[in-house]
Amino acid sequence: MKNHVLRPLWVAIAFVALIFLVRHFMVPKDFGIHGRNFTYGFYRLGAIDDWKAIPVKYRGMAGCGECHEDKVAEHQKGPHHIIQCENCHGPALAHPDKPETLPIDRDRGLCLRCHAGLPYPTSQRANLPAIDPDKHNPGAPCVECHNPHNPEM
Amino acid sequence: MSCSRRDLLKKAMCGAVAASLPLTMFRFLSPAQAQAAVAGSGKVRWGFLVDTRKCVGCGFCVKACKMENEVPYDAPVTRTWVERYVVTRDGKTHIDSPLGGRDGFVSQKVGEETIPPEEITKAFFVPKLCNQCDNPACVQVCPVGATFQTNDGVVLIDRTWCIGCGYCIMACPYGVRFFHPIYKVAEKCTFCYHRISKGMVTACVQACPFGARRIGNLKDPNDPVTRAIMTERVAVLKDEYGTKPQVFYIGLDSNVR
């Protein structure tokens, strides 16, 4: 065949080869079908380990009790025992190493999440002790009068 | 070379049949591979149970989720949220979710409206999160294979692979996906994959004081969550989409969309 016909063909072949070469180096080795089929399971297997490697921040009440026994014991006796320490004190992260202390949030908003009265007869919310935040000592922190660990004390 | 009409037709027929056979026909699968292809391998399939009757709208779940998963706290995006439904005598449904319910529901105002208590016939809170569908529409539309379903049923996003095209955000019928303002990729609830793979529960489940949120292994018949789903009257959101959501709701109302 004549040269001027073949030349574009070689260019085309080289272009396709280049695409395959780039693909070979750019696509991770663990990329492929790992799940049940191509539609739902076509991915990079290492992505699962990436998600697993994220550090846990909310460590749970059991961890708090290892050092703060008195506080947890007091908390366990009252109706607030269902609330996790970290809900109000924030995530423990790597406490006591980092951060060394957790901030104590005295904000009224924390209490009002459950105790701001809402007139919802069919909701569990109506069964909780409630106040009207605009009339019940507005602006004052609840913890001045109520013990958040055990409000019955 | 001579070729009769009969031979030509025969050969053409054979060629057509051969060309229509997929090469995968000749691949031999081990029984384990075949099982995996049919039912999904492994002994774990994560499922979620929300009891809307127990939710009081405190929003601790949303706060915990945002902190645990480093979702920008003040940005108007969240992996999970709580909706308030207030149905009044005139048959209207008033719905809101201020900041996704992050700071709880402390005001009687729904959106901008003040609803007199005597007008309310029913009112309740509905927590929402990714349904980790069995047929996730969001995964089907991904053009690059950056989102996928793990063998334990959780839909994840590969942050290094996502190109941020946003098809999946459009495709999700539940609106659980959003664009992460920092990583600039699609973002969604992962059922706290870093926690459940260590034997812990999700941050939202741990934070819920009333047990309105629970997570369990749907393949374990003795799991309390699986038992509850099997024995209680549960419903899923937008069943008609055929996505087979795996977040089940107790006490779901027809007003909830």
Side-chain angles (χ1 to χ4, degrees):
Chain A
M1 224 183 287
K2 290 218 173 81
N3 220 4
H4 74 277
V5 179
L6 279 177
R7 218 179 293 140
L9 182 67
W10 294 129
V11 171
I13 289 172
F15 186 68
V16 171
L18 183 74
I19 290 171
F20 275 100
L21 193 74
V22 169
R23 195 183 179 281
H24 178 77
F25 287 107
M26 296 294 283
V27 176
K29 290 285 166 288
D30 56 349
F31 203 101
I33 300 169
H34 306 293
R36 62 180 150 133
N37 55 30
F38 174 76
T39 310
Y40 300 117
F42 182 62
Y43 62 99
R44 185 176 64 88
L45 200 57
I48 292 183
D49 294 325
D50 290 355
W51 281 109
K52 283 183 183 172
I54 289 176
V56 170
K57 295 172 198 70
Y58 278 79
R59 302 222 311 268
M61 212 188 289
C64 309
E66 284 172 20
C67 301
H68 306 281
E69 291 160 27
D70 51 329
K71 290 275 190 286
V72 172
E74 181 191 354
H75 175 252
Q76 284 300 310
K77 283 187 206 125
H80 278 177
H81 72 271
I82 52 174
I83 303 173
Q84 290 281 329
C85 310
E86 289 163 309
N87 279 4
C88 300
H89 292 284
L93 305 167
H95 176 74
D97 297 327
K98 199 186 165 193
E100 281 179 22
T101 53
L102 293 179
I104 295 176
D105 189 353
R106 296 178 197 279
D107 183 32
R108 205 171 147 84
L110 281 173
C111 311
L112 294 182
R113 283 169 177 263
C114 294
H115 298 299
L118 296 177
Y120 298 163
T122 56
S123 168
Q124 188 69 30
R125 178 71 171 253
N127 302 334
L128 299 176
I131 57 143
D132 183 343
D134 297 330
K135 293 189 182 127
H136 186 95
N137 304 318
C142 309
V143 293
E144 276 182 8
C145 303
H146 306 275
N147 176 359
H149 289 154
N150 186 349
E152 283 178 349
M153 282 171 75
Chain B
M1 193 183 111
S2 68
C3 185
S4 69
R5 179 189 291 239
R6 181 178 291 265
D7 276 348
L8 177 79
L9 288 174
K10 258 188 191 171
K11 280 176 183 160
M13 191 68 84
C14 287
V17 169
S20 66
L21 291 179
L23 284 173
T24 45
M25 262 190 64
F26 303 103
R27 231 178 81 204
F28 286 90
L29 293 175
S30 70
Q33 279 173 306
Q35 175 74 24
V38 176
S41 59
K43 292 187 167 62
V44 182
R45 202 309 171 195
W46 296 108
F48 208 92
L49 180 61
V50 177
D51 191 339
T52 57
R53 297 170 311 184
K54 289 180 179 167
C55 182
V56 304
C58 67
F60 276 131
C61 49
V62 181
K63 182 189 174 193
C65 173
K66 286 198 125 179
M67 304 284 257
E68 178 73 36
N69 295 298
E70 291 173 0
V71 178
Y73 200 67
D74 292 315
V77 289
T78 179
R79 288 183 176 195
T80 183
W81 66 97
V82 182
E83 292 172 357
R84 164 164 62 180
Y85 289 77
V86 178
V87 184
T88 46
R89 274 181 209 289
D90 54 7
K92 280 191 187 143
T93 310
H94 309 262
I95 309 167
D96 77 337
S97 182
L99 295 171
R102 185 195 76 187
D103 297 334
F105 294 82
V106 295
S107 167
Q108 291 189 23
K109 272 192 179 173
V110 180
E112 297 297 309
E113 281 177 285
T114 310
I115 300 166
E118 61 276 11
E119 286 297 311
I120 298 171
T121 52
K122 58 181 170 182
F124 48 89
F125 299 96
V126 181
K128 290 200 175 162
L129 69 164
C130 174
N131 286 282
Q132 313 291 2
C133 304
D134 251 356
N135 293 329
C138 55
V139 175
Q140 291 177 29
V141 300
C142 181
V144 295
T147 183
F148 55 94
Q149 191 181 40
T150 64
N151 285 334
D152 44 14
V154 180
V155 175
L156 297 178
I157 295 164
D158 185 347
R159 279 183 179 163
T160 65
W161 210 245
C162 176
I163 57 171
C165 70
Y167 283 0
C168 55
I169 299 169
M170 291 284 120
C172 175
Y174 308 97
V176 303
R177 284 183 176 239
F178 57 92
F179 199 68
H180 197 294
I182 292 168
Y183 296 106
K184 311 285 182 202
V185 294
E187 172 79 359
K188 70 181 281 296
C189 162
T190 60
F191 268 5
C192 284
Y193 205 68
H194 58 297
R195 296 173 65 95
I196 57 174
S197 56
K198 291 184 185 76
M200 306 171 80
V201 293
T202 67
C204 59
V205 169
Q206 190 179 66
C208 181
F210 300 94
R213 290 171 175 254
R214 293 157 82 191
I215 186 164
N217 175 10
L218 298 179
K219 282 193 182 166
D220 177 4
N222 296 317
D223 189 303
V225 173
T226 310
R227 293 244 295 268
I229 290 169
M230 288 194 297
T231 55
E232 302 262 351
R233 279 157 279 180
V234 294
V236 292
L237 293 170
K238 295 182 184 170
D239 198 19
E240 67 277 15
Y241 280 67
T243 49
K244 293 189 186 159
Q246 301 298 304
V247 173
F248 298 87
Y249 286 84
I250 297 176
L252 200 62
D253 190 85
S254 58
N255 286 300
V256 180
R257 292 182 290 262

